[in-house]
Amino acid sequence: MSSAAATAAMPRLHGARIQRRFLDRLAEASGWNVVAVALGCAALLLIYGPLIWLGVMSFSAEPLSGKPYPLTFAHYGLLFANDKWHTPFLKSVLLGLAVALACMVVGTFLARALVRLRRPGGVLFLALLPLFVPGLTIGAALFVFLRTTLGLKLGMWSLFIGHMVWAFPFALLLILIVTIRFDVKLIQAAEDLGAKPLRCFLDIELPLLMPGISGAGIFSFLLSFNELLRSTFLRGNETTMPVYNWAMASAQQSQVPIVFSLSTLILAVTLPVMGALFFMLFARKGS
Amino acid sequence: MATALALSSSPRHRWRLPGTATGWFTGWFLLAWIGVVVLPLLIISAFSFFSMRQYQIVYDPTLDTWIGLAETGRWVVVLRTIRFAVSVTFLEILVAFPFALWLAKGCRSNAVRAGIITLLTIPFFIDASSRIIVWRSILGTNGVINNLLVGSGLIDKPLTWLLYSDFAVSFGMFGSYFPTAVFPIFLTLSLIDDDLIKASSDLGGSRLQTLRFVILPLAMPGIVGGIVFTFVPLMAAWIEPQLLGGGQVNLLGQSIQSALSNLNYPVAAALSTVVIGVLVLLLAVLIVSLRGRFSMSSLFQSLDR
């Protein structure tokens, strides 16, 4: 009898066990790795596919159609004949350099201060806060504050503030990585040998922090150079490169082909540089 | 965090610059930073409680703007934006978590890992409008996809819902915010000690159990971080709906922008306040999930490895 009851109870237990084992096997199957990687790579393709297509279409006679042929250099010819983009380009470069310089200097001092602080958590959180705020929101907020509340005339200076708020957290993070790694004993040794604080900083600390600081400079420059959302609110009458591109792209006008060529050229210069830079940065850490 | 801080303030470290200079600098920085980050956000929230009369702001607290939002049906835009943000964020995390897990624990080659992290980093530095506008020539009625589909005889006439539609906007958003979803998850996953995972399997845990009871709880802050970095910017997405929605998809970002350009500050402020509210809420969740889990130094050690 008892054995009959046991067998009656079996199927349910058995079923549960089979179900568990099935899920386990499902999880253990190496197929999951393949699915994970395939989906991730598909997402990467969603990012880089359009960039490649952008390059292809910049040679197409009709860039907004789906056909790359007939191929033509006409848009590049038009681009070089057209000088309207020179001023925005130059302004973006200068602004980027200013933002990069400011981020490097302020970032270095703040990162050194953070490592020395008793409780850096609050300061760090505040410094990194703009990372969390959407560009449109901080742009609108700065616009209402500077333009409406303070009644100031917007221009390059407000673009600088907006870009600084965007680029600084990234710069700070990069510099923090090297300041945290910095060996304090080096400074102690130099002090024991009679070096003044300024000498210690310039001759010992700064050279060792330099990889992080220069990385931060490049990051900040690129972030500023490509910044659009904050710029649309804070530009006043100024036009930066991304603002120019945006105006051309969203107006659906005949200028679009030029934007394709221009963006392709900028990408052709910046992508390899960024690729090499980041790869070196991450590969060094990976080893 | 306590241990890390105790370390840096222990008497062995007497090398700090004249303490006051560092203190002064930090103080000035904080003051300036509050002025350009926190204050503007507070002010724009406050503006939603003012009203406009003849293009002049009336500094007199009122709920008119908020009531107006409900009455003019603008809240539909808020709901629609939340719908977009929720669905795209969900998909992002769904794809990003397994990918990040593989990247942090499964990928054996440092070069491959560095390469993928590089690919994930670069999009932060690319001009958004040129990146998004290309989708038009891919998804349009005579774009690549339709050409291929019609050419192969699968469909008779081009699909019109590919571009200037909810689909196109979600598609553009997915690509834009994939890296921001992967990074926080990847960071927390690579912080997990491999020994913990090994211990779990030594004790007889299946891979599914290890995932459910070891990896997932430890990765929670990263998942919340991924949600914050994806959901919040999606609430204020502007480039994707503008370029790929073709006027058909009106989201919060466009409403804020158009209200601002119409000098309707209170409405723009109220809509921005919705975004800021979501941000504060999610940040609070993130801080709670981070509490006591990670110190600043351990986070950077993981970056260092």
Side-chain angles (χ1 to χ4, degrees):
Chain A
M1 266 319 264
S2 62
S3 76
T7 41
M10 270 292 273
R12 226 184 39 178
L13 259 175
H14 191 61
R17 204 175 303 145
I18 282 185
Q19 198 189 5
R20 229 204 75 204
R21 231 189 284 149
F22 173 72
L23 282 175
D24 279 354
R25 227 179 295 146
L26 211 64
E28 262 152 64
S30 59
W32 280 106
N33 261 339
V34 178
V35 173
V37 177
L39 280 177
C41 290
L44 283 177
L45 197 69
L46 271 185
I47 301 171
Y48 288 94
L51 292 183
I52 297 166
W53 194 243
L54 181 82
V56 173
M57 294 313 276
S58 70
F59 294 102
S60 160
E62 286 174 66
L64 282 182
S65 76
K67 297 190 205 73
Y69 48 86
L71 296 179
T72 168
F73 280 100
H75 308 310
Y76 285 91
L78 278 175
L79 177 69
F80 290 116
N82 181 334
D83 61 359
K84 286 209 176 84
W85 56 275
H86 290 177
T87 324
F89 183 80
L90 197 67
K91 275 185 181 155
S92 274
V93 169
L94 290 178
L95 187 60
L97 288 177
V99 170
L101 190 67
C103 281
M104 284 159 81
V105 174
V106 182
T108 306
F109 281 108
L110 191 69
R112 292 175 77 248
L114 275 175
V115 185
R116 275 145 235 228
L117 276 184
R118 211 168 238 289
R119 315 199 47 148
V123 182
L124 185 68
F125 176 77
L126 205 63
L128 297 185
L129 187 63
L131 280 182
F132 299 95
V133 187
L136 185 100
T137 311
I138 191 81
L142 274 170
F143 176 83
V144 166
F145 174 52
L146 298 173
R147 181 77 198 84
T148 314
T149 313
L150 298 182
L152 300 168
K153 192 173 179 301
L154 302 184
M156 289 304 267
W157 67 273
S158 51
L159 279 174
F160 176 79
I161 291 180
H163 288 192
M164 200 56 199
V165 167
W166 169 226
F168 183 73
F170 290 94
L172 180 69
L173 279 177
L174 268 181
I175 302 176
L176 260 182
I177 293 174
V178 285
T179 47
I180 284 177
R181 220 190 282 158
F182 181 74
D183 190 353
V184 186
K185 293 196 193 85
L186 293 173
I187 295 281
Q188 288 172 324
E191 272 177 351
D192 289 349
L193 293 171
K196 295 256 167 21
L198 187 66
R199 277 262 79 92
C200 287
F201 176 69
L202 288 179
D203 291 349
I204 300 168
E205 201 171 348
L206 200 59
L208 284 170
L209 299 184
M210 219 45 211
I213 299 175
S214 48
I218 297 169
F219 267 53
S220 320
F221 175 82
L222 289 169
L223 285 170
S224 160
F225 186 78
N226 291 306
E227 211 302 310
L228 171 64
L229 279 171
R230 296 154 191 83
S231 307
T232 49
F233 293 103
L234 298 172
R235 67 196 188 91
N237 289 323
E238 306 286 349
T239 304
T240 61
M241 198 70 244
V243 172
Y244 177 83
N245 278 347
W246 166 257
M248 295 301 139
S250 59
Q252 309 225 24
Q253 30 170 292
S254 52
Q255 297 282 346
V256 166
I258 295 189
V259 174
F260 274 47
S261 318
L262 191 56
S263 304
T264 305
L265 283 182
I266 292 177
L267 284 176
V269 175
T270 53
L271 271 185
V273 175
M274 282 193 279
L277 186 83
F278 292 143
F279 189 81
M280 267 159 32
L281 191 76
F282 298 130
R284 196 169 47 81
K285 269 189 233 142
S287 60
Chain B
M1 188 152 295
T3 48
L5 300 179
L7 248 179
S8 60
S9 58
S10 71
R12 281 188 305 133
H13 300 242
R14 266 178 296 136
W15 53 286
R16 61 178 89 142
L17 277 182
T20 48
T22 310
W24 271 106
F25 177 80
T26 314
W28 279 113
F29 169 81
L30 282 182
L31 208 63
W33 206 241
I34 287 171
V36 293
V37 179
V38 181
L39 195 62
L41 291 175
L42 289 178
I43 285 182
I44 201 169
S45 306
F47 260 63
S48 66
F49 297 101
F50 298 142
S51 60
M52 297 283 284
R53 209 168 294 146
Q54 276 136 18
Y55 295 102
Q56 289 293 314
I57 282 279
V58 182
Y59 293 94
D60 202 8
T62 162
L63 280 175
D64 285 357
T65 315
W66 291 97
I67 295 165
L69 279 194
E71 280 171 355
T72 54
R74 273 195 204 260
W75 58 275
V76 178
V77 178
V78 176
L79 285 186
R80 190 185 301 134
T81 312
I82 291 177
R83 199 190 74 210
F84 266 91
V86 167
S87 54
V88 174
T89 305
F90 179 74
L91 284 177
E92 299 277 17
I93 300 294
L94 209 61
V95 176
F97 183 82
F99 191 56
L101 186 58
W102 172 77
L103 200 59
K105 297 292 172 202
C107 179
R108 292 276 161 249
S109 155
N110 276 333
V112 171
R113 187 185 299 133
I116 288 179
I117 297 176
T118 303
L119 288 178
L120 286 170
T121 311
I122 288 177
F124 287 100
F125 303 93
I126 293 178
D127 179 31
S129 50
S130 50
R131 185 164 51 110
I132 299 295
I133 186 100
V134 204
W135 281 113
R136 280 194 189 161
S137 90
I138 298 175
L139 300 172
T141 41
N142 50 6
V144 186
I145 292 180
N146 272 320
N147 273 345
L148 285 178
L149 287 177
V150 174
S152 66
L154 279 173
I155 50 172
D156 299 332
K157 50 177 188 259
L159 303 170
T160 50
W161 53 265
L162 280 180
L163 186 60
Y164 302 137
S165 61
D166 289 7
F167 170 80
V169 175
S170 319
F171 216 63
M173 287 172 167
F174 186 87
S176 298
Y177 293 101
F178 183 65
T180 55
V182 174
F183 269 122
I185 303 178
F186 169 73
L187 269 184
T188 45
L189 283 175
S190 50
L191 274 177
I192 298 176
D193 200 330
D194 283 342
D195 289 344
L196 283 177
I197 297 171
K198 227 199 264 155
S200 165
S201 71
D202 285 350
L203 291 171
S206 66
R207 281 174 75 163
L208 189 69
Q209 283 171 321
T210 307
L211 181 70
R212 166 75 184 78
F213 296 108
V214 179
I215 297 177
L216 217 49
L218 286 172
M220 231 356 138
I223 296 174
V224 178
I227 292 174
V228 171
F229 277 119
T230 317
F231 189 83
V232 179
L234 278 172
M235 283 299 290
W238 178 54
I239 297 167
E240 292 87 2
Q242 193 78 7
L243 287 182
L244 300 177
Q248 312 287 315
V249 187
N250 189 15
L251 297 185
L252 210 50
Q254 290 140 293
S255 297
I256 294 174
Q257 215 276 338
S258 70
L260 265 188
S261 52
N262 292 334
L263 304 181
N264 194 348
Y265 297 122
V267 166
L271 294 173
S272 301
T273 307
V274 173
V275 178
I276 297 171
V278 170
L279 168 69
V280 170
L281 197 75
L282 282 177
L283 266 188
V285 175
L286 178 66
I287 289 170
V288 168
S289 79
L290 271 174
R291 178 141 290 175
R293 296 291 276 281
F294 297 103
S295 70
M296 193 166 98
S297 57
S298 78
L299 198 68
F300 283 104
Q301 270 156 22
S302 83
L303 282 170
D304 244 6
R305 269 200 312 213

